[in-house]
Amino acid sequence: MKRFYCYVSALCLVWAASCGSSDVPVYLDDSKPIEERVEDALSRMTLEEKVAMLHAQSKFSSPGVPRLGIPEVWCSDGPHGIREEVLWDEWGGAGWTNDYCTAFPALTCLAASWDPSMSAIYGKAIGEEARYRNKTVLLGPGVNIYRTPLNGRNFEYMGEDPYLASRMVVPYIRNVQEQGVATCLKHFALNNQEYHRHDVNVEVSDRALYEIYLPAFKAGVVEGGTWSIMGSYNLYDGEHCCHNKRLLVDILRGEWGFDGTVISDWGGVSDTRQALDNGLDLEYGTWTDGLARNSGGSDAYDNYYMANPLLEMIRSEEGDAAKADIAKVDDKVRNILRMIFRTSMDRTRPYGSFATQEHADVSRRIAENGIVLLKNDNSVLPIRPAEVSKILVVGENASRRMTIGGGSSSLKVKYEVLPVEGMRNVYGEDKIVCMKGYSSNPDEKVESLDELRAAAAECDAVVFFGGLNKKGYQDCEGADRKEFGLPYGQDEVIAALAGANPRTAVVIISGNAVAMPWVDSVNAIVEGWYLGTEAGNALANVISGAVNPSGKLPFTYYAKLEDCGAHAFDAKCYPGETSEGGDGSDIYAGERKPTEQLEKKVFNERYSEDIFVGYRWVDLYNIEPTFPFGHGLSYTTFEYSNLALDRETMPVDGRLTVTVDVRNTGPVRGGEIVQLYVGDNESTVERPVRELKAFDKVFLDPGETKSVKFVLDRTALQYFDADRHDWQVEPGTFTVYVGASSRDLRGKAEFTVE
């Protein structure tokens, strides 16, 4: 009844506004500046109405002000699709029949496209789906840095490099919000593992914080203009990130000028006073089963930290203390109202569309642009349909749905094309022979290695679909991977197939790097990600050559786990340890515990590798990865030439133009991602050997040449000076490297900074 009243009130007030009534409040007049509307609405609200807006009323909604016709806020999990409707107080589905969505590729795949135009069409399409379902906030995108390949949630993020993530996140945000839906950039910040995610207190240098872990968030706020941001579960500097003064007050609002809504992760709030003082606006998911902690009341939501406890705290105060706390409440309500006026109270808001063929086509295009050809010796791929009469398809992941599972990104999709279905669509039913090869079910018997070898030897080619899945302890929210290797005995299956048929291609379905002890014995390897609704068709199009792969890795594929900086130190670097020196196994790993228990068992983790994350680490110690950051092959070849700088000396605040010619020297049209790295040759502080500072994806016909131009400014040269709390550029000699990956460098040139 409350929701119905709110909707009717809003409709009546909007009708009055459209009729030109002289009594229409300013806050309903969308011709007025938003700040004027915010202040007018705020002035009409009671303290009780204000506090009600600061916390959830259901699993995914929070109250508006029915009396004033201000609508509720409705959130949807993302960032790969619009989650099904769930029950009011439970995680279970509500059983609707009209909420089957389009599944878009995981954000690792989007990042692997290295193409901001893909990010733009992704944002537009998912924004249209969220708008059609009348969502106020899309809970995504995620830009936490890929620090360890064991992080169960890496598939939701955009890789290990802050520059790449920064360039890819901005178009996503802008295009979602053009549909009248707020993005909720997450998880702010330092949420780089799922192991004890509620308990871990991150210790990181200011330099690493600003150079590695904050840039993509800053880009999303300053350039993308995100209308909301989500705090993370973990602690930083001893405070939970959902109410962390340094992150939310000093940096987010103070340094970056954020004017949107700070939303807690579900169950991420721990204290009323800290939530009020330290920058949180909207509390969701406390006691996430909704009603377990009602303290004798009729509604658990009224007992959230930002609900009745906040009201009671303010009512118990007097004089200036009460006024100061009410002023903080007012600021939070302003931030929420501003978001509402930008979204559900914007009468020019588009209508959106849902689960359309257009969106499926967008999903497939992004998938095809992000698939990475890791290895292709002896031109095993493409396997053209006219060249084969029988293909053996092996692997549980060939027929496993990947749009479900994985935690909050699990989706209820209109359809999902499985890899085996995509292969049949391209090659025909009669050419595909299927064997499972391995199973995630320990009780299921599958074919023997001898049976697999015999079948492989009788076919013209073999395609193995393996990797990870979205079960717990793999690519899944709530826990990290337990091992770097492939599960379920896949290594033995791959080795057997490759030994029986040299034309064996291995397709890894995952959001993480995996160990590849068989890498030298397999001629073709593809990183196939989680590709969404059109997964099977996209993979089959690349395997068959209908699409020339053009994706490149957004993270380093380590040969062994110890080659990763986060795993090169003691347990305190990863996974962390308790203050008593234990490994944390005694800390509850499920839902977060009450504050008093957290204070007794804080789980400390020191980022000992500092700024040397990913390729920065392996370059520093000249470690050979299985596949380097930025790596990706094509069915054609590219030649780089004529690298040139427009000047030899650059003023600190000047600009430098870099040009390089790229020519398609192979037989088919293809896309090449030209990468530019910068190294400081004379730095007085320790810096990476080189860092990504620009990239461009160009498509070329056979024999075609294009000149690629990059313009560098001081941001490509600077490092963060923690003592001065400012970015610095040192005079001296720098080197520009241009190439096809962080290790495949095709040219370099020096210049001097004055």
Side-chain angles (χ1 to χ4, degrees):
M1 181 59 71
K2 179 173 68 173
R3 292 178 59 199
F4 177 75
Y5 175 66
C6 182
Y7 294 146
V8 171
S9 299
L11 288 171
C12 291
L13 288 167
V14 169
W15 174 81
S18 66
C19 292
S21 170
S22 60
D23 297 327
V24 172
V26 171
Y27 72 89
L28 284 176
D29 186 351
D30 54 13
S31 68
K32 300 289 186 182
I34 280 184
E35 294 309 309
E36 187 176 336
R37 299 173 67 197
V38 166
E39 293 305 318
D40 182 61
L42 185 67
S43 70
R44 299 169 187 268
M45 295 169 60
T46 66
L47 178 61
E48 290 75 15
E49 288 171 334
K50 294 173 184 177
V51 170
M53 291 188 72
L54 306 185
H55 63 87
Q57 65 178 5
S58 75
K59 267 285 179 280
F60 285 98
S61 73
S62 55
V65 185
R67 180 177 62 86
L68 299 177
I70 295 173
E72 302 158 324
V73 169
W74 280 87
C75 301
S76 174
D77 265 326
H80 309 137
I82 309 306
R83 186 172 182 161
E84 68 177 312
E85 299 300 326
V86 302
L87 297 171
W88 189 260
D89 291 316
E90 302 173 25
W91 291 114
W96 291 19
T97 58
N98 60 351
D99 56 350
Y100 291 88
C101 71
T102 303
F104 298 91
L107 291 190
T108 43
C109 175
L110 176 62
S113 76
W114 291 62
D115 189 344
S117 72
M118 292 295 104
S119 186
I121 63 172
Y122 195 127
K124 181 177 184 294
I126 198 171
E128 288 173 343
E129 298 225 344
R131 169 62 188 100
Y132 187 89
R133 293 265 298 279
N134 204 29
K135 303 303 180 183
T136 317
V137 182
L138 174 67
L139 300 174
V143 290
N144 293 102
I145 291 296
Y146 186 109
R147 179 178 179 249
T148 164
L150 298 189
N151 181 9
R153 216 164 178 180
N154 276 334
F155 70 98
E156 293 187 50
Y157 302 142
M158 295 188 178
E160 72 185 30
D161 185 75
Y163 181 82
L164 175 61
S166 296
R167 294 308 93 218
M168 295 301 293
V169 75
V170 171
Y172 182 113
I173 290 172
R174 289 177 177 172
N175 282 271
V176 168
Q177 294 188 163
E178 284 181 3
Q179 311 313 312
V181 176
T183 55
C184 190
L185 189 62
K186 65 183 188 183
H187 302 90
F188 190 61
L190 300 165
N191 187 198
N192 307 115
Q193 67 187 59
E194 290 297 284
Y195 185 76
H196 293 297
R197 60 181 179 168
H198 296 283
D199 314 311
V200 64
N201 176 49
V202 174
E203 301 172 6
V204 62
S205 73
D206 270 10
R207 187 173 171 204
L209 180 70
Y210 276 82
E211 290 190 17
I212 304 296
Y213 297 103
L214 291 186
F217 285 105
K218 182 179 180 180
V221 170
V222 176
E223 299 177 57
T226 186
W227 292 335
S228 69
I229 196 166
M230 182 186 290
S232 59
Y233 285 130
N234 54 285
L235 297 87
Y236 161 65
D237 200 23
E239 287 184 341
H240 279 279
C241 293
C242 283
H243 35 72
N244 186 291
K245 182 179 182 298
R246 178 103 195 276
L247 291 175
L248 301 179
V249 179
D250 299 342
I251 296 174
L252 180 63
R253 296 214 187 268
E255 296 180 16
W256 301 348
F258 178 64
D259 69 352
T261 304
V262 176
I263 300 175
S264 76
D265 204 342
W266 269 233
V269 182
S270 304
D271 183 87
T272 298
R273 170 52 67 183
Q274 289 183 21
L276 179 64
D277 291 348
N278 293 352
L280 179 69
D281 296 318
L282 188 47
E283 176 186 5
Y284 274 106
T286 302
W287 313 305
T288 53
D289 55 352
L291 298 175
R293 196 106 178 245
N294 63 16
S295 303
S298 61
D299 189 344
Y301 303 105
D302 288 339
N303 293 290
Y304 276 23
Y305 293 104
M306 297 273 276
N308 285 344
L310 176 58
L311 266 177
E312 292 165 5
M313 185 177 74
I314 293 174
R315 286 168 176 164
S316 69
E317 298 171 335
E318 298 179 355
D320 291 343
K323 290 179 181 178
D325 283 348
I326 291 172
K328 292 172 185 175
V329 169
D330 286 350
D331 282 342
K332 298 176 189 300
V333 176
R334 286 186 179 97
N335 296 331
I336 298 170
L337 286 172
R338 193 177 293 117
M339 181 178 72
I340 292 172
F341 288 143
R342 287 167 166 166
T343 55
S344 50
M345 288 190 74
D346 177 5
R347 283 187 286 174
T348 66
R349 193 183 189 202
Y351 289 104
S353 54
F354 192 68
T356 63
Q357 184 60 51
E358 179 186 12
H359 291 171
D361 292 344
V362 166
S363 179
R364 190 192 69 256
R365 285 181 58 197
I366 296 166
E368 291 170 350
N369 270 268
I371 293 170
V372 183
L373 179 61
L374 296 175
K375 184 178 180 181
N376 196 25
D377 291 354
N378 302 315
S379 299
V380 165
L381 295 177
I383 304 171
R384 305 211 181 265
E387 298 173 356
V388 292
S389 58
K390 189 180 294 185
I391 299 174
L392 177 63
V393 172
V394 182
E396 182 179 83
N397 282 0
S399 56
R400 184 184 183 93
R401 291 184 63 192
M402 294 296 186
T403 58
I404 58 175
S408 60
S409 64
S410 183
L411 297 172
K412 177 181 174 181
V413 297
K414 184 177 181 180
Y415 70 89
E416 177 180 358
V417 180
L418 302 174
V420 68
E421 294 171 341
M423 295 291 287
R424 288 169 177 152
N425 291 341
V426 168
Y427 293 95
E429 185 86 27
D430 58 329
K431 288 188 177 182
I432 301 299
V433 178
C434 294
M435 300 179 77
K436 196 160 189 178
Y438 73 92
S439 174
S440 60
N441 180 357
D443 297 324
E444 181 179 6
K445 180 176 173 57
V446 295
E447 303 88 356
S448 69
L449 295 180
D450 286 341
E451 290 174 308
L452 292 170
R453 290 188 187 99
E458 294 177 355
C459 292
D460 301 308
V462 178
V463 182
F464 174 84
F465 291 94
L468 305 178
N469 56 41
K470 292 187 177 181
K471 295 181 70 172
Y473 302 104
Q474 295 197 38
D475 284 325
C476 185
E477 179 182 0
D480 284 352
R481 296 166 63 192
K482 292 183 175 181
E483 58 188 4
F484 188 41
L486 290 173
Y488 317 128
Q490 293 179 68
D491 291 340
E492 292 78 7
V493 173
I494 293 170
L497 294 171
N501 191 325
R503 198 170 192 184
T504 294
V506 173
V507 180
I508 298 296
I509 308 297
S510 75
N512 265 307
V514 298
M516 293 181 171
W518 34 263
V519 65
D520 293 331
S521 61
V522 172
N523 284 322
I525 306 172
V526 173
E527 175 52 71
W529 313 115
Y530 301 115
L531 299 180
T533 282
E534 284 282 317
N537 287 335
L539 285 166
N541 285 342
V542 167
I543 290 167
S544 68
V547 169
N548 190 352
S550 61
K552 301 211 174 190
L553 289 176
F555 52 72
T556 302
Y557 239 94
Y558 303 101
K560 57 183 183 297
L561 194 58
E562 294 76 17
D563 291 344
C564 171
H567 297 271
F569 297 90
D570 57 15
K572 190 167 184 179
C573 186
Y574 179 88
E577 61 185 21
T578 65
S579 55
E580 292 85 359
D583 65 359
S585 60
D586 57 335
I587 298 179
Y588 182 60
E591 298 294 347
R592 61 159 219 86
K593 299 198 296 185
T595 307
E596 62 271 12
Q597 291 176 302
L598 288 174
E599 291 173 349
K600 294 177 183 177
K601 285 287 186 182
V602 170
F603 196 59
N604 293 301
E605 183 173 47
R606 179 184 298 121
Y607 284 16
S608 301
E609 76 279 20
D610 202 53
I611 62 171
F612 297 100
V613 175
Y615 69 90
R616 291 165 171 81
W617 179 263
V618 297
D619 286 352
L620 180 68
Y621 292 103
N622 199 27
I623 298 168
E624 192 66 30
T626 304
F627 300 109
F629 172 80
H631 170 77
L633 304 177
S634 170
Y635 295 149
T636 190
T637 53
F638 300 95
E639 180 183 86
Y640 290 60
S641 62
N642 301 325
L643 174 62
L645 312 182
D646 70 336
R647 58 171 66 187
E648 295 180 353
T649 302
M650 173 184 167
V652 167
D653 291 316
R655 290 174 176 267
L656 177 77
T657 300
V658 182
T659 55
V660 64
D661 291 341
V662 181
R663 182 169 181 263
N664 184 340
T665 55
V668 295
R669 178 176 173 81
E672 173 68 334
I673 298 162
V674 185
Q675 302 162 45
L676 184 149
Y677 298 80
V678 175
D680 186 345
N681 302 340
E682 302 175 8
S683 177
T684 61
V685 299
E686 192 171 34
R687 299 193 67 177
V689 175
R690 63 187 71 88
E691 297 178 277
L692 180 71
K693 294 300 178 181
F695 62 88
D696 193 14
K697 190 168 190 176
V698 294
F699 289 87
L700 302 169
D701 291 326
E704 183 182 7
T705 300
K706 284 186 179 179
S707 181
V708 179
K709 181 173 76 172
F710 304 103
V711 179
L712 305 181
D713 59 20
R714 66 172 294 140
T715 61
L717 315 176
Q718 64 192 14
Y719 70 93
F720 188 78
D721 187 324
D723 293 333
R724 298 182 182 182
H725 195 75
D726 199 6
W727 295 91
Q728 302 293 323
V729 177
E730 290 186 318
T733 303
F734 289 75
T735 300
V736 168
Y737 305 85
V738 174
S741 80
S742 61
R743 289 291 177 91
D744 185 4
L745 303 170
R746 307 292 183 88
K748 65 179 182 178
E750 290 188 351
F751 65 97
T752 301
V753 173
E754 293 183 343

